[in-house]
Amino acid sequence: MQYEPTLSRAELIDFALNKYFARVDAKDMEGALACFHDTALFCVQTAFTRHSGKAEIRRMFEDFFGAYETIIHRDFNCTVDEKNGRITASFIAELHDADGNVTLLSNTNFWRLRPGSAEGAEGPKFQEVYVYMSGANVLT
């Protein structure tokens, strides 16, 4: 299903980088989850994993946030389909665990946003997220 786009190119990039990834890097669970519709789908394509709905996405983030002391997403290269409310970002995920080990992943995310509630109380949110990860899946 295609949704009516509501965000400009700059707003799509801002949503992905400054609303979503900034909150993930800060381990802000509620802020990160606020970027998703209740029925969102989050798939790690390279690991054949799927998280359906906010409860499953929350559990995935709880494990991810607990596994790493520091999470940094950087060096973004975004491609935007403003007409259809879609954005893709290639980036480096830099993860530091409690033992001082650093994991570097070259990832690409594909997002599809859909409008918020009919009453307009909520803005657009992720309906689908597809992740391609260069190494072992850290989003189990």
Side-chain angles (χ1 to χ4, degrees), residues 52-115:
S52 183
K54 273 193 178 178
E56 289 184 20
I57 294 169
R58 174 184 292 277
R59 201 258 334 128
M60 175 198 73
F61 278 131
E62 286 171 348
D63 292 350
F64 182 53
F65 292 169
Y68 298 98
E69 295 292 312
T70 306
I71 300 169
I72 302 167
H73 293 87
R74 60 180 171 82
D75 301 336
F76 293 97
N77 183 11
C78 297
T79 303
V80 176
D81 178 359
E82 183 178 353
K83 180 181 173 192
N84 293 302
R86 296 173 188 244
I87 180 170
T88 299
S90 296
F91 56 91
I92 300 297
E94 181 179 329
L95 312 171
H96 299 254
D97 69 18
D99 296 326
N101 299 310
V102 178
T103 300
L104 293 175
L105 300 167
S106 295
N107 295 354
T108 301
N109 284 16
F110 294 81
W111 296 285
R112 183 169 71 135
L113 283 83
R114 78 173 223 226

